[in-house]
Amino acid sequence: MRVLTFALALAAPLVLAEPSARHVEEIHVRDFHTKGIVKREAVAQDGILRICTITNDRPPAALAQVLEADQLKTIPFPAGSLMGDWKRGENIAQSGRGMTWTDPAGTPNGGSCYNCHQLAAKEISFGTLGPTLLAFGKKRGSGADVQKYVYGKIYNAKAYNACSQMPRLGWSGTLTEQQIRDLVAYLLDPASPVNQ
Amino acid sequence: MSGPMKMRATLAAGYTDVRVLMTHPMTTAQSNQPLHFIQSVTVKQNGRTVVEAQISQAVSRNPVFTFRLKGGAKGDKIEVSWLDNKGESNKIEASVA
Amino acid sequence: MRLLVSLVCALPLAAFAQDAKKEIEKYQQMLGEGSPAELWEVQGEELWKKPQGPKKASLERCDLGLGPGKVAGAYARLPRYFKDTDKVQDLESRLVTCMTELQGRSPKEATQRVFGNADRPAEMEYLVAYIVGQSRGHKMAVPNSHPKERAAYELGKKVFFYRAGTWDFSCASCHGETDKRIRMQDLPVLSEREGAQKAYTTWPAYRVSNSQLKTMQWRINDCYRQMRYPEPEFASEATIALTHFMAVTANGAPYRGPGTKR
Amino acid sequence: MNTLRRTLIGAAAVLLLRPFAALAAAWNKDAFGAKTLADALKGIGATDAAASKDLLIEAPQIAENGAVVPVEISSNIPGTTSIAVVIEKNPFPLAAQFDFLDGALPYVKVNIKMGETSDVRAVATAGGRRYAAAKEIKVTIGGCGG
C-alpha cells in the first residue's frame, strides 16, 4: 500500500507542475478541428514556433540567428523591381479579410496592415502593435536594398526577427507576389499617401 | 409577436427618468429582409400622452430611449408603446419606483 | 527639414491619439447606460424557469457551484471544480451538465446550437445573460485551490502563450503588452491582473456590431477565428482552462457584466 | 462599415417602392423619405433654422461602430415642443422626430445608425420658430476582423 501512496505522492506534484510543451500541443491538436479553409494541422507548431513559445519569444542570440537564416531561405525574391502599384497596395493594407474559417477559399486576401501599423497619416484608425510606418519611404528612400528588405519582411518577417509577432504573410500563402509588390510600393513610392 | 420590452421609471431631481428598451430588428431592407422598423413611439404618464415620437430605420436595432417627464411622483403609471410599419405593436407599463 | 516635418506632423497625432482614447471611452460609457443586454436577461430568466426535456424539468435546481438553484454571485466564482463531473467547468459547460442531468436532454441536443444570431439568439445566450447578470457587483472570487483547478490554471496560462495557426499568433501576440491597439480597439493585457480585471469582468456582452449578447465561449471562439486558427471545440478543456486562467487573474475586481461593447 | 452604408442605401430604393398607404398615416413619410439634408430640413420646415447654443448635443466624437451611436439631445430654449435628429450623410438624413407635449421635458437619448462619419444635427421647435445645433461624429472601422 505504501508503494502506491508513494507513487501517488510522486505523481501529485507532477500534475501541479507546469504542463510540458508537448502536452500543451497535444491538447491543442485534440481540442481544435478543421473548419472552412483552416485545417486542424494549423494548430500544431513548426520548429521555430516551438522555440519561440518555450523561450517566451526571446531565444538566445546565437539560436535566433540560426533561425532567421533558416527563414530567409524560404523567401523567393522575384527578379527586377519590387515596386508594384501603391493604389492596390492601399486596399490590401486596409483589408482585414481572408484566411479565417468563414472566408471562402480562393478569394484574394487582405494584408491587415492597419490592424497593427500606422501607415498613411490620413487614416486615424490604425493599430499600435507594430511600429509606425508613417513616411517610411520618405525616411528610408526606395532603392533596391530597401525594396528587398520590405519585400522579405512582408513575405517572412521571422527572417529578420526570429520570434516576430508579424505573420509570415507570403510564406503562409496569405499574400501573392504581386500583392506584396503593391504593398512595397504603398510603403516606398513617393506618391503614396504613406509618404505625404 | 415580438420579443420583450423593458422599462425603468425612476424619480430624479425634479423629473421622472424613463428608460425603455424594445426588441425590434429595425431592418433597413437588406436584400432578403423586407423593410421592418418601428415608426411611432408613445409615452403616457397616468394615462396622458406626454411624448409622441416618429422614428425610422436609422434608429438602432433593439432601440433604447431615455425620456424625462416633468415632476412626477412615486406610483405614477408610465406606459410606453410602439407601432411599426407592418402594423405590429407592443407596450409596457410600469409604476415609478 | 524632413525630420522637422515628421516631428511636427507626429505631435498633433500623439495628442489626437490621447483624445481619441478619451472619446472612445465616452462612446463605451454612453453605450452602457441602458443596454439591450437587459432584454436577454429577461428572456434568460424565463428559460431558467421553463420545464424542458424528457424529464420536463426546469433548470431551477441546477448547481452552479453555490448549491442547487443558487444564482446570485455564481458567475463570479466560475470556472471551478465540480465533484459530480470531476471536472473544472465554466458556466456554459455547467449548464449543459444541468440540461442533461436535470432535464434529461442529450449532450448532442443541448450543444446543438450554442451560438445564435441576431434574428434568433441561442437558448444558451439567453440563459448566460440572466445568470451573469445575477453576479453584477459580486467580487470575482474564482477558486484555484483544488489540484484540478490549479492544473487548469497552469494549462490555461500555457494556452495563452501558445503560438500557432496560419499567422503564428498566440493570445499574447495582441493581449500581451500594455497600451496596444488593433486599429482603434484597445487591447487589455489579459494575462495580468489589471487587464484581466478590466476586460474579463465585462464579458459576456451585448455587441452592437451584431446586435447580440455573446458568451465567453463565443468570445474565445471568435478570437481564434480572427487569429486564423482552426475552430476550438465548444467548452473543450483548452477553452475552459484559458477561461479559468483569465478569471483567476481577474480575482478581486467586482464583476460588471453583462457588458455592452462595440 | 460600407456594408451598413450599402444597406441604408438599399432602403432608399425599397422605401420608394413600398406602397405608402401601408405606412402609418401620422408618419411624416415625405420628410423621412427625403434623401438630402436640404429636403429633410424642408420636410420638417426647418430650412431657416437659427443656430442656437442652448440646444445641446451630448455624443462621443468617435463611435467604434456606426450601427449604434448614442446621442443625447436636450433643449434649454424656452417653449421647446419638439426635437428632430438629422444625420447629414445618411441615405435618409431625418432619423427621428420627438414631440414633447405638456408634461415632458425637451430631452431625449437614443441610439442611432450612422452609415459613415457625419454631422449629427438637432433641430428644435420653440414658439413656432426653428433652432439647430450640429456635432460631427467620426465613425471608425472597429475591431480586428476588418
Side-chain angles (χ1 to χ4, degrees):
Chain A
M1 184 46 197
R2 193 178 306 115
V3 168
L4 181 61
T5 47
F6 172 75
L8 275 181
L10 193 66
L14 286 185
V15 168
L16 300 183
E18 288 176 11
S20 71
R22 165 159 299 291
H23 176 58
V24 174
E25 185 168 5
E26 281 159 5
I27 293 259
H28 279 88
V29 172
R30 179 198 69 194
D31 285 358
F32 286 73
H33 51 249
T34 296
K35 178 136 186 195
I37 60 172
V38 190
K39 297 282 174 290
R40 161 187 243 144
E41 290 67 27
V43 84
Q45 296 181 314
D46 64 356
I48 192 167
L49 285 180
R50 256 191 214 107
I51 294 170
C52 291
T53 300
I54 293 168
T55 62
N56 275 328
D57 297 330
R58 281 186 297 281
L63 176 56
Q65 270 161 14
V66 170
L67 294 170
E68 285 158 15
D70 236 14
Q71 297 293 313
L72 193 61
K73 294 197 196 84
T74 70
I75 307 174
F77 288 100
S81 161
L82 299 176
M83 293 266 274
D85 171 350
W86 68 262
K87 288 194 194 65
R88 284 202 305 261
E90 176 152 58
N91 295 335
I92 298 165
Q94 283 282 5
S95 165
R97 290 265 171 273
M99 305 300 279
T100 71
W101 69 59
T102 49
D103 289 303
T107 50
N109 300 316
S112 297
C113 311
Y114 274 106
N115 280 357
C116 301
H117 294 286
Q118 178 183 23
L119 292 110
K122 60 181 170 58
E123 176 55 74
I124 62 164
S125 177
F126 59 85
T128 55
L129 285 162
T132 177
L133 305 175
L134 197 67
F136 189 87
K138 194 179 261 187
K139 290 181 194 153
R140 306 286 186 92
S142 51
D145 45 12
V146 178
Q147 287 179 33
K148 185 162 188 255
Y149 165 66
V150 173
Y151 188 93
K153 181 75 178 175
I154 294 172
Y155 190 92
N156 183 342
K158 291 185 168 57
Y160 305 86
N161 171 10
C163 291
S164 166
Q165 296 295 344
M166 180 167 172
R168 296 177 274 188
L169 292 166
W171 180 82
S172 61
T174 303
L175 296 178
T176 63
E177 181 191 294
Q178 185 53 49
Q179 286 182 305
I180 297 177
R181 292 154 66 105
D182 293 338
L183 283 174
V184 171
Y186 187 52
L187 274 160
L188 300 182
D189 189 324
S192 160
V194 170
N195 297 313
Q196 299 319 305
Chain B
M1 165 301 288
S2 53
M5 293 174 71
K6 189 162 188 267
M7 176 158 65
R8 193 198 60 178
T10 50
L11 287 181
Y15 62 86
T16 304
D17 189 274
V18 176
R19 196 189 62 199
V20 60
L21 308 163
M22 307 169 181
T23 302
H24 202 286
M26 303 298 281
T27 61
T28 54
Q30 278 91 349
S31 50
N32 42 27
Q33 285 169 315
L35 201 58
H36 187 199
F37 62 92
I38 291 174
Q39 287 182 321
S40 65
V41 173
T42 305
V43 181
K44 287 184 181 162
Q45 185 182 37
N46 296 329
R48 200 163 50 89
T49 299
V50 287
V51 179
E52 276 180 336
Q54 296 175 49
I55 65 175
S56 71
Q57 77 270 5
V59 169
S60 303
R61 178 169 198 149
N62 297 328
V64 181
F65 294 97
T66 306
F67 299 107
R68 287 181 179 170
L69 314 181
K70 286 182 190 146
K74 210 160 155 351
D76 278 357
K77 279 276 170 292
I78 308 293
E79 181 200 281
V80 177
S81 57
W82 58 257
L83 173 67
D84 72 15
N85 66 320
K86 284 187 177 172
E88 290 156 6
S89 65
N90 197 355
K91 71 177 165 60
I92 189 166
E93 196 180 84
S95 49
V96 174
Chain C
M1 181 45 198
R2 221 166 36 165
L3 184 63
L4 182 62
V5 165
S6 58
L7 262 182
V8 164
C9 150
L11 197 59
L13 277 179
F16 174 82
Q18 213 35 42
D19 287 350
K21 194 170 161 72
K22 195 162 55 65
E23 283 306 320
I24 286 180
E25 272 152 14
K26 178 172 178 179
Y27 173 75
Q28 289 163 348
Q29 186 251 326
M30 285 184 82
L31 269 193
E33 296 158 358
S35 159
E38 294 174 42
L39 297 170
W40 265 254
E41 291 181 59
V42 166
Q43 294 170 89
E45 185 167 13
E46 284 163 18
L47 284 166
W48 176 255
K49 295 173 176 159
K50 181 181 169 195
Q52 289 194 80
K55 293 185 181 173
K56 292 201 174 24
S58 80
L59 291 170
E60 287 164 300
R61 301 298 304 151
C62 175
D63 180 350
L64 298 173
L66 304 181
K70 292 273 186 306
V71 181
Y75 190 70
R77 290 165 181 73
L78 284 170
R80 66 186 307 153
Y81 174 77
F82 285 89
K83 207 193 303 307
D84 54 12
T85 55
D86 189 29
K87 281 196 305 187
V88 173
Q89 294 185 277
D90 64 356
L91 172 58
E92 289 162 77
S93 56
R94 189 60 188 169
L95 284 171
V96 172
T97 299
C98 289
M99 289 172 183
T100 51
E101 298 312 314
L102 299 178
Q103 299 181 321
R105 293 159 68 175
S106 74
K108 185 172 179 304
E109 184 273 328
T111 55
Q112 182 69 26
R113 187 171 179 278
V114 282
F115 301 145
N117 57 45
D119 294 328
R120 195 163 69 88
E123 175 192 20
M124 182 64 80
E125 288 159 340
Y126 285 128
L127 285 168
V128 161
Y130 164 60
I131 291 163
V132 303
Q134 298 301 308
S135 283
R136 192 174 303 123
H138 287 257
K139 201 166 280 216
M140 293 292 296
V142 180
N144 193 24
S145 50
H146 187 280
K148 287 203 170 179
E149 284 166 351
R150 298 244 301 277
Y153 177 87
E154 290 303 331
L155 174 60
K157 186 187 290 186
K158 290 290 179 186
V159 168
F160 189 86
F161 290 98
Y162 179 83
R163 293 189 64 178
T166 317
W167 283 1
D168 305 341
F169 285 151
S170 68
C171 309
S173 302
C174 296
H175 292 284
E177 227 185 306
T178 50
D179 288 334
K180 290 296 181 188
R181 263 193 352 232
I182 287 182
R183 285 198 175 257
M184 299 298 276
Q185 181 72 43
D186 275 335
L187 295 165
V189 179
L190 301 174
S191 48
E192 279 153 24
R193 211 158 65 86
E194 196 203 340
Q197 289 185 335
K198 182 167 178 289
Y200 187 82
T201 56
T202 59
W203 276 93
Y206 179 84
R207 299 196 69 226
V208 297
S209 45
N210 54 29
S211 309
Q212 297 167 65
L213 183 293
K214 303 311 283 187
T215 67
M216 196 62 200
Q217 278 289 327
W218 178 86
R219 175 63 284 171
I220 291 173
N221 177 287
D222 198 52
C223 238
Y224 276 121
R225 182 182 65 80
Q226 292 175 79
M227 290 160 74
R228 274 65 181 183
Y229 267 62
E231 183 175 44
E233 195 63 37
F234 172 75
S236 51
E237 184 184 7
T239 56
I240 291 176
L242 179 60
T243 304
H244 186 65
F245 168 63
M246 292 188 286
V248 167
T249 308
N251 269 345
Y255 178 69
R256 295 175 292 142
T260 310
K261 293 182 178 287
R262 175 184 53 74
Chain D
M1 210 33 55
N2 38 36
T3 47
L4 181 64
R5 196 162 179 289
R6 266 200 309 281
T7 48
L8 288 174
I9 290 172
V14 172
L15 188 71
L16 298 179
L17 301 177
R18 267 190 74 69
F20 276 105
L23 302 179
W27 196 64
N28 187 345
K29 59 181 175 301
D30 298 335
F32 282 110
K35 285 193 283 182
T36 66
L37 176 64
D39 291 349
L41 293 176
K42 192 148 66 66
I44 54 172
T47 315
D48 51 9
S52 163
K53 53 183 178 21
D54 294 331
L55 182 51
L56 311 174
I57 303 176
E58 180 68 20
Q61 274 172 16
I62 296 179
E64 284 185 302
N65 193 298
V68 176
V69 181
V71 173
E72 184 182 53
I73 302 170
S74 54
S75 168
N76 294 330
I77 305 168
T80 300
T81 53
S82 88
I83 290 176
V85 181
V86 184
I87 306 158
E88 204 163 327
K89 291 260 184 62
N90 267 12
F92 288 90
L94 179 58
Q97 169 137 26
F98 300 89
D99 295 329
F100 305 101
L101 295 89
D102 186 21
L105 294 174
Y107 166 94
V108 65
K109 179 170 182 266
V110 60
N111 290 337
I112 55 168
K113 294 178 199 170
M114 294 178 64
E116 58 184 283
T117 296
S118 167
D119 265 3
V120 172
R121 188 180 300 272
V123 176
T125 307
R129 297 195 56 223
R130 299 283 191 283
Y131 302 86
K135 173 172 180 146
E136 188 195 49
I137 299 182
K138 283 194 176 66
V139 174
T140 64
I141 308 167
C144 30

